[in-house]
Amino acid sequence: MKICPDPVQKQCRIWLSHQESARCRADPAFQQTCRSYRAQGYQVCVYAGGQEPLLPHVTALLRRQDSLV
């Protein structure tokens, strides 16, 4: 789990691997982290990894977007 607070935008981005995302919702430390940042007025954004590698899919999406412009 990687926690990336952004005080300027009042956002806390939490990045989870696929393995972490499967068990994280029940993890008291994860829940406490979310509560803590929300109590400080942050928007909490959780990004959970899937089973597929992310880079090829993002690359394909960006190439598709470029072809539409």
Side-chain angles (χ1 to χ4, degrees):
M1 176 168 55
K2 183 176 179 183
I3 302 169
C4 304
D6 182 345
V8 174
Q9 294 185 355
K10 293 295 273 187
Q11 286 185 338
C12 178
R13 296 176 193 95
I14 301 175
W15 297 86
L16 305 172
S17 68
H18 176 67
Q19 294 81 11
E20 290 171 321
S21 67
R23 65 178 186 272
C24 203
R25 297 272 180 211
D27 181 8
F30 172 77
Q31 294 172 2
Q32 180 57 38
T33 299
C34 291
R35 277 194 300 271
S36 174
Y37 277 102
R38 285 186 184 118
Q40 297 175 55
Y42 280 69
Q43 176 187 25
V44 177
C45 306
V46 179
Y47 300 95
Q51 295 179 353
E52 299 289 326
L54 188 59
L55 184 60
H57 296 289
V58 171
T59 301
L61 286 170
L62 292 174
R63 284 188 179 140
R64 174 73 176 138
Q65 183 179 10
D66 274 349
S67 71
L68 296 174
V69 175

Coordinates of all heavy atoms in Angstrom, one line a residue:
M1 N 0.9 -1.2 0.0 CA 0.0 0.0 0.0 C 0.9 1.2 0.0 O 1.8 1.3 0.8 CB -0.9 0.0 1.2 CG -1.8 1.2 1.4 SD -3.1 1.1 2.6 CE -2.2 0.7 4.1
K2 N 0.6 2.1 -0.9 CA 1.3 3.4 -1.0 C 0.3 4.5 -0.8 O -0.7 4.6 -1.5 CB 2.0 3.5 -2.4 CG 2.9 4.8 -2.5 CD 3.6 4.8 -3.8 CE 4.4 6.1 -3.9 NZ 5.0 6.2 -5.2
I3 N 0.6 5.4 0.2 CA -0.2 6.5 0.6 C 0.4 7.8 0.1 O 1.5 8.1 0.5 CB -0.5 6.5 2.1 CG1 -1.1 5.1 2.6 CG2 -1.4 7.7 2.5 CD1 -1.1 4.9 4.0
C4 N -0.3 8.5 -0.7 CA 0.2 9.8 -1.3 C -0.7 10.9 -1.0 O -1.7 11.2 -1.7 CB 0.3 9.6 -2.8 SG 1.3 8.2 -3.3
P5 N -0.5 11.6 0.2 CA -1.4 12.8 0.5 C -1.0 14.0 -0.4 O 0.2 14.2 -0.6 CB -1.1 13.0 2.0 CG 0.2 12.4 2.3 CD 0.4 11.3 1.2
D6 N -1.9 14.8 -0.8 CA -1.7 16.0 -1.5 C -2.4 17.1 -0.8 O -3.6 17.3 -1.0 CB -2.3 15.8 -3.0 CG -2.0 17.0 -3.8 OD1 -1.7 18.1 -3.3 OD2 -2.2 16.9 -5.1
P7 N -1.7 17.8 0.1 CA -2.3 18.9 0.9 C -2.9 20.0 0.0 O -3.8 20.7 0.4 CB -1.2 19.3 1.8 CG 0.0 18.8 1.3 CD -0.3 17.7 0.4
V8 N -2.3 20.3 -1.1 CA -2.8 21.4 -2.0 C -4.2 21.1 -2.5 O -5.1 22.0 -2.4 CB -1.8 21.7 -3.1 CG1 -2.3 22.7 -4.1 CG2 -0.4 22.1 -2.6
Q9 N -4.4 19.9 -3.0 CA -5.7 19.5 -3.5 C -6.6 18.8 -2.5 O -7.7 18.5 -2.8 CB -5.5 18.6 -4.7 CG -4.9 19.2 -5.9 CD -4.8 18.3 -7.1 OE1 -5.2 17.1 -7.1 NE2 -4.3 18.8 -8.2
K10 N -6.1 18.7 -1.3 CA -6.8 18.0 -0.2 C -7.3 16.6 -0.6 O -8.5 16.3 -0.5 CB -8.0 18.9 0.3 CG -7.6 20.2 1.0 CD -6.8 19.9 2.2 CE -7.8 19.8 3.4 NZ -7.1 19.7 4.7
Q11 N -6.4 15.9 -1.2 CA -6.7 14.5 -1.7 C -5.6 13.6 -1.1 O -4.5 14.0 -0.9 CB -6.6 14.4 -3.2 CG -7.8 14.9 -3.9 CD -7.7 14.6 -5.4 OE1 -6.6 14.3 -5.9 NE2 -8.8 14.7 -6.1
C12 N -6.1 12.4 -0.8 CA -5.2 11.3 -0.3 C -5.4 10.2 -1.3 O -6.4 9.6 -1.4 CB -5.4 10.9 1.1 SG -4.4 9.6 1.6
R13 N -4.3 9.9 -2.1 CA -4.4 8.8 -3.0 C -3.7 7.6 -2.4 O -2.6 7.6 -1.9 CB -3.7 9.2 -4.3 CG -4.4 10.3 -5.0 CD -3.6 10.7 -6.3 NE -4.1 12.0 -6.8 CZ -3.6 13.2 -6.5 NH1 -2.5 13.2 -5.7 NH2 -4.1 14.3 -6.9
I14 N -4.5 6.5 -2.4 CA -4.0 5.2 -1.8 C -3.9 4.2 -3.0 O -4.9 3.9 -3.6 CB -4.9 4.7 -0.7 CG1 -4.9 5.7 0.4 CG2 -4.3 3.4 -0.2 CD1 -5.9 5.4 1.5
W15 N -2.7 3.7 -3.2 CA -2.5 2.7 -4.3 C -2.3 1.4 -3.7 O -1.5 1.1 -2.8 CB -1.2 3.1 -5.1 CG -1.4 4.5 -5.8 CD1 -1.1 5.7 -5.2 CD2 -1.8 4.7 -7.1 NE1 -1.4 6.7 -6.2 CE2 -1.8 6.1 -7.3 CE3 -2.2 3.9 -8.1 CZ2 -2.2 6.7 -8.5 CZ3 -2.6 4.5 -9.3 CH2 -2.6 5.8 -9.5
L16 N -3.1 0.4 -4.2 CA -3.0 -1.0 -3.7 C -2.7 -1.9 -4.8 O -3.1 -1.8 -6.0 CB -4.4 -1.4 -3.2 CG -5.0 -0.5 -2.1 CD1 -6.4 -1.0 -1.8 CD2 -4.2 -0.6 -0.8
S17 N -1.8 -2.9 -4.5 CA -1.6 -4.0 -5.5 C -2.8 -4.9 -5.5 O -3.7 -4.8 -4.7 CB -0.3 -4.8 -5.1 OG -0.6 -5.5 -3.9
H18 N -2.8 -5.8 -6.5 CA -4.0 -6.7 -6.6 C -4.1 -7.5 -5.3 O -5.2 -7.7 -4.8 CB -3.8 -7.6 -7.8 CG -4.9 -8.6 -7.9 ND1 -6.2 -8.3 -8.2 CD2 -4.8 -10.0 -7.8 CE1 -6.9 -9.4 -8.2 NE2 -6.1 -10.4 -8.0
Q19 N -3.0 -8.0 -4.8 CA -3.0 -8.8 -3.6 C -3.5 -8.0 -2.4 O -4.3 -8.5 -1.6 CB -1.6 -9.4 -3.3 CG -1.1 -10.4 -4.3 CD -0.5 -9.7 -5.5 OE1 -0.3 -8.5 -5.6 NE2 -0.3 -10.5 -6.5
E20 N -3.1 -6.8 -2.3 CA -3.6 -5.9 -1.2 C -5.1 -5.6 -1.3 O -5.8 -5.6 -0.3 CB -2.8 -4.6 -1.1 CG -1.3 -4.8 -0.7 CD -0.5 -3.5 -0.9 OE1 -0.8 -2.8 -1.9 OE2 0.3 -3.3 0.0
S21 N -5.5 -5.4 -2.5 CA -6.9 -5.0 -2.7 C -7.9 -6.0 -2.3 O -9.0 -5.8 -1.8 CB -7.2 -4.5 -4.1 OG -7.1 -5.6 -5.0
A22 N -7.5 -7.3 -2.4 CA -8.4 -8.4 -2.0 C -8.6 -8.5 -0.5 O -9.7 -8.9 -0.1 CB -7.8 -9.7 -2.5
R23 N -7.7 -8.0 0.3 CA -7.8 -8.1 1.8 C -7.9 -6.8 2.5 O -8.2 -6.7 3.7 CB -6.7 -8.9 2.3 CG -5.3 -8.3 2.2 CD -4.2 -9.2 2.8 NE -3.0 -8.5 2.8 CZ -2.1 -8.5 1.8 NH1 -2.4 -9.3 0.7 NH2 -1.0 -7.9 1.8
C24 N -7.7 -5.7 1.8 CA -7.5 -4.4 2.4 C -8.8 -3.8 3.0 O -8.7 -3.2 4.1 CB -7.0 -3.4 1.3 SG -6.2 -2.0 2.1
R25 N -10.0 -4.0 2.5 CA -11.2 -3.4 3.0 C -11.5 -3.9 4.4 O -12.0 -3.1 5.2 CB -12.4 -3.8 2.1 CG -12.3 -3.3 0.7 CD -12.9 -1.9 0.6 NE -12.8 -1.4 -0.8 CZ -12.6 -0.2 -1.1 NH1 -12.6 0.7 -0.1 NH2 -12.5 0.2 -2.3
A26 N -11.0 -5.1 4.8 CA -11.2 -5.6 6.2 C -10.0 -5.2 7.1 O -10.1 -5.5 8.3 CB -11.4 -7.1 6.1
D27 N -9.0 -4.6 6.6 CA -7.8 -4.3 7.4 C -8.1 -3.0 8.2 O -8.3 -1.9 7.7 CB -6.6 -4.0 6.4 CG -5.3 -3.7 7.1 OD1 -5.3 -3.8 8.3 OD2 -4.4 -3.3 6.4
P28 N -8.0 -3.2 9.5 CA -8.2 -2.0 10.4 C -7.2 -0.8 10.2 O -7.6 0.3 10.3 CB -8.0 -2.6 11.8 CG -8.2 -4.1 11.7 CD -7.7 -4.4 10.3
A29 N -6.0 -1.1 9.8 CA -5.1 0.0 9.5 C -5.5 0.8 8.3 O -5.4 2.0 8.3 CB -3.7 -0.6 9.3
F30 N -6.0 0.1 7.3 CA -6.5 0.7 6.1 C -7.7 1.6 6.4 O -7.8 2.8 6.0 CB -6.8 -0.3 5.0 CG -7.5 0.3 3.8 CD1 -6.8 1.0 2.8 CD2 -8.9 0.2 3.6 CE1 -7.4 1.5 1.7 CE2 -9.5 0.7 2.5 CZ -8.8 1.4 1.6
Q31 N -8.6 1.1 7.2 CA -9.8 1.8 7.5 C -9.5 3.0 8.4 O -10.0 4.1 8.2 CB -10.8 0.9 8.3 CG -11.3 -0.2 7.5 CD -12.1 -1.3 8.3 OE1 -12.3 -1.1 9.5 NE2 -12.6 -2.3 7.6
Q32 N -8.5 2.9 9.3 CA -8.1 4.0 10.1 C -7.4 5.1 9.3 O -7.7 6.3 9.5 CB -7.2 3.5 11.3 CG -6.7 4.6 12.2 CD -7.9 5.4 12.8 OE1 -8.9 4.9 13.2 NE2 -7.7 6.7 12.9
T33 N -6.6 4.7 8.3 CA -6.0 5.7 7.5 C -7.0 6.5 6.7 O -7.0 7.7 6.6 CB -5.1 5.0 6.5 OG1 -4.0 4.3 7.2 CG2 -4.4 5.9 5.5
C34 N -8.0 5.8 6.1 CA -9.1 6.5 5.4 C -9.9 7.4 6.3 O -10.1 8.6 6.0 CB -10.1 5.5 4.8 SG -9.4 4.5 3.4
R35 N -10.2 7.0 7.5 CA -11.0 7.8 8.5 C -10.1 9.0 8.9 O -10.7 10.1 9.0 CB -11.3 7.0 9.7 CG -12.6 6.2 9.6 CD -13.1 5.7 10.9 NE -12.1 4.8 11.6 CZ -12.0 3.5 11.5 NH1 -12.8 2.9 10.7 NH2 -11.1 2.8 12.2
S36 N -8.9 8.8 9.1 CA -8.0 9.9 9.5 C -7.9 11.0 8.5 O -8.0 12.2 8.8 CB -6.6 9.4 9.8 OG -5.7 10.4 10.1
Y37 N -7.7 10.6 7.2 CA -7.6 11.6 6.2 C -9.0 12.3 5.9 O -9.0 13.5 5.7 CB -7.0 11.0 4.9 CG -5.5 11.0 4.9 CD1 -4.9 9.8 5.2 CD2 -4.8 12.2 4.7 CE1 -3.5 9.8 5.3 CE2 -3.4 12.1 4.8 CZ -2.8 11.0 5.1 OH -1.4 10.9 5.1
R38 N -10.1 11.6 6.0 CA -11.4 12.2 5.8 C -11.7 13.2 6.9 O -12.3 14.2 6.7 CB -12.5 11.1 5.7 CG -12.5 10.3 4.4 CD -13.6 9.4 4.3 NE -13.5 8.6 3.1 CZ -13.4 7.3 3.0 NH1 -13.3 6.6 4.1 NH2 -13.3 6.7 1.9
A39 N -11.3 12.9 8.1 CA -11.5 13.8 9.3 C -10.7 15.1 9.1 O -11.1 16.1 9.6 CB -11.0 13.1 10.6
Q40 N -9.6 15.0 8.3 CA -8.8 16.2 8.0 C -9.3 17.0 6.8 O -8.8 18.0 6.4 CB -7.4 15.8 7.8 CG -6.7 15.2 8.9 CD -5.3 14.7 8.6 OE1 -4.5 15.5 8.1 NE2 -5.0 13.5 8.8
G41 N -10.5 16.5 6.2 CA -11.1 17.2 5.1 C -10.5 16.7 3.7 O -10.8 17.4 2.7
Y42 N -9.8 15.6 3.7 CA -9.3 15.1 2.5 C -10.3 14.2 1.7 O -11.1 13.5 2.4 CB -8.0 14.2 2.7 CG -6.7 15.0 3.0 CD1 -6.6 15.8 4.1 CD2 -5.7 15.0 2.0 CE1 -5.4 16.5 4.3 CE2 -4.5 15.7 2.3 CZ -4.4 16.4 3.4 OH -3.2 17.1 3.6
Q43 N -10.2 14.3 0.4 CA -11.0 13.3 -0.4 C -10.0 12.1 -0.5 O -8.9 12.2 -0.9 CB -11.3 13.9 -1.8 CG -11.9 12.9 -2.7 CD -12.1 13.4 -4.1 OE1 -11.3 14.3 -4.5 NE2 -13.0 12.9 -4.8
V44 N -10.5 10.9 -0.2 CA -9.7 9.7 -0.2 C -10.0 9.0 -1.5 O -11.1 8.6 -1.8 CB -9.9 8.8 1.0 CG1 -9.1 7.5 0.8 CG2 -9.6 9.5 2.3
C45 N -9.0 8.8 -2.4 CA -9.1 8.1 -3.6 C -8.3 6.8 -3.6 O -7.0 6.9 -3.3 CB -8.6 8.9 -4.8 SG -9.3 10.6 -4.9
V46 N -8.9 5.7 -3.7 CA -8.2 4.4 -3.7 C -8.1 3.8 -5.1 O -9.1 3.6 -5.8 CB -9.0 3.4 -2.7 CG1 -8.2 2.1 -2.6 CG2 -9.1 4.0 -1.3
Y47 N -6.9 3.4 -5.5 CA -6.7 2.8 -6.7 C -6.2 1.4 -6.5 O -5.2 1.2 -5.8 CB -5.6 3.6 -7.5 CG -6.0 5.0 -7.8 CD1 -5.6 6.0 -6.9 CD2 -6.8 5.3 -8.9 CE1 -6.0 7.3 -7.2 CE2 -7.2 6.7 -9.1 CZ -6.8 7.7 -8.3 OH -7.1 8.9 -8.5
A48 N -7.0 0.4 -7.0 CA -6.7 -1.0 -6.7 C -6.2 -1.6 -8.0 O -6.9 -1.5 -9.1 CB -7.9 -1.7 -6.2
G49 N -5.1 -2.3 -7.9 CA -4.6 -3.0 -9.1 C -5.4 -4.2 -9.4 O -6.0 -4.9 -8.6
G50 N -5.4 -4.6 -10.7 CA -6.1 -5.8 -11.1 C -5.1 -6.9 -11.4 O -3.9 -6.9 -11.0
Q51 N -5.6 -7.9 -12.1 CA -4.8 -9.1 -12.3 C -3.9 -8.9 -13.6 O -3.0 -9.6 -13.8 CB -5.7 -10.3 -12.5 CG -6.4 -10.7 -11.2 CD -7.3 -11.9 -11.4 OE1 -7.5 -12.4 -12.5 NE2 -7.9 -12.3 -10.3
E52 N -4.3 -8.0 -14.4 CA -3.5 -7.7 -15.6 C -2.5 -6.6 -15.4 O -2.7 -5.7 -14.6 CB -4.5 -7.3 -16.8 CG -5.5 -8.3 -17.1 CD -5.0 -9.5 -17.8 OE1 -4.0 -9.3 -18.6 OE2 -5.5 -10.6 -17.6
P53 N -1.4 -6.6 -16.2 CA -0.4 -5.5 -16.1 C -1.0 -4.2 -16.5 O -1.8 -4.2 -17.5 CB 0.7 -5.9 -17.0 CG 0.4 -7.3 -17.5 CD -1.0 -7.7 -17.1
L54 N -0.8 -3.2 -15.8 CA -1.4 -1.9 -16.0 C -0.9 -1.2 -17.3 O -1.6 -0.6 -18.0 CB -1.3 -1.0 -14.8 CG -2.1 0.3 -14.8 CD1 -3.6 0.1 -14.9 CD2 -1.8 1.0 -13.5
L55 N 0.4 -1.2 -17.4 CA 1.1 -0.4 -18.5 C 0.6 -0.6 -19.9 O 0.2 0.3 -20.6 CB 2.6 -0.6 -18.4 CG 3.4 0.3 -19.4 CD1 3.2 1.8 -19.2 CD2 4.9 -0.1 -19.3
P56 N 0.4 -1.9 -20.4 CA -0.1 -2.1 -21.7 C -1.5 -1.5 -21.9 O -1.8 -1.0 -23.0 CB -0.1 -3.6 -21.9 CG 0.8 -4.1 -20.9 CD 0.8 -3.1 -19.7
H57 N -2.3 -1.6 -20.9 CA -3.7 -1.1 -21.0 C -3.8 0.4 -21.1 O -4.5 1.0 -21.8 CB -4.6 -1.7 -19.9 CG -4.7 -3.2 -20.0 ND1 -5.4 -3.8 -20.9 CD2 -4.1 -4.2 -19.2 CE1 -5.3 -5.1 -20.8 NE2 -4.6 -5.4 -19.7
V58 N -3.0 1.0 -20.2 CA -2.9 2.5 -20.2 C -2.4 3.0 -21.5 O -2.9 4.0 -22.1 CB -2.2 3.0 -19.0 CG1 -1.9 4.5 -19.1 CG2 -2.9 2.7 -17.7
T59 N -1.3 2.4 -22.0 CA -0.7 2.7 -23.3 C -1.7 2.6 -24.4 O -1.8 3.6 -25.2 CB 0.5 1.8 -23.6 OG1 1.5 2.0 -22.5 CG2 1.2 2.3 -24.9
A60 N -2.5 1.6 -24.4 CA -3.5 1.4 -25.5 C -4.6 2.5 -25.4 O -5.0 3.0 -26.4 CB -4.1 0.0 -25.4
L61 N -5.0 2.8 -24.2 CA -6.0 3.9 -24.0 C -5.5 5.2 -24.5 O -6.2 6.0 -25.1 CB -6.4 4.0 -22.5 CG -7.3 2.9 -22.0 CD1 -7.4 3.0 -20.5 CD2 -8.7 2.9 -22.7
L62 N -4.2 5.5 -24.2 CA -3.6 6.8 -24.6 C -3.5 6.9 -26.1 O -3.7 7.9 -26.7 CB -2.3 7.0 -23.9 CG -2.4 7.3 -22.4 CD1 -1.0 7.4 -21.7 CD2 -3.2 8.6 -22.1
R63 N -3.1 5.8 -26.7 CA -2.9 5.7 -28.2 C -4.3 5.9 -28.8 O -4.4 6.6 -29.8 CB -2.3 4.4 -28.6 CG -0.9 4.4 -28.4 CD -0.2 3.1 -29.0 NE 1.2 3.2 -28.7 CZ 1.9 2.1 -28.4 NH1 1.4 0.9 -28.3 NH2 3.2 2.2 -28.2
R64 N -5.3 5.3 -28.3 CA -6.7 5.4 -28.8 C -7.2 6.9 -28.7 O -7.7 7.5 -29.6 CB -7.6 4.5 -28.1 CG -9.1 4.6 -28.4 CD -9.4 4.1 -29.8 NE -10.8 4.2 -30.1 CZ -11.3 4.5 -31.2 NH1 -10.5 4.8 -32.2 NH2 -12.6 4.6 -31.3
Q65 N -6.9 7.5 -27.5 CA -7.3 8.9 -27.3 C -6.5 9.8 -28.3 O -7.1 10.7 -28.9 CB -6.9 9.3 -25.9 CG -7.3 10.7 -25.6 CD -7.0 11.1 -24.1 OE1 -6.3 10.4 -23.4 NE2 -7.5 12.2 -23.7
D66 N -5.3 9.5 -28.6 CA -4.5 10.3 -29.6 C -5.1 10.2 -31.0 O -5.1 11.2 -31.7 CB -3.0 9.9 -29.6 CG -2.2 10.6 -28.5 OD1 -2.7 11.6 -27.9 OD2 -1.0 10.2 -28.3
S67 N -5.6 9.0 -31.3 CA -6.1 8.8 -32.6 C -7.5 9.5 -32.8 O -7.9 9.8 -33.9 CB -6.3 7.3 -32.9 OG -7.3 6.8 -32.2
L68 N -8.1 9.8 -31.7 CA -9.4 10.5 -31.8 C -9.3 12.0 -31.9 O -10.2 12.7 -32.3 CB -10.3 10.2 -30.6 CG -10.7 8.7 -30.5 CD1 -11.4 8.5 -29.1 CD2 -11.6 8.3 -31.6
V69 N -8.1 12.5 -31.5 CA -7.9 14.0 -31.5 C -7.6 14.5 -32.9 O -7.2 14.0 -33.8 CB -6.8 14.4 -30.5 CG1 -6.5 15.8 -30.6 CG2 -7.2 13.9 -29.1

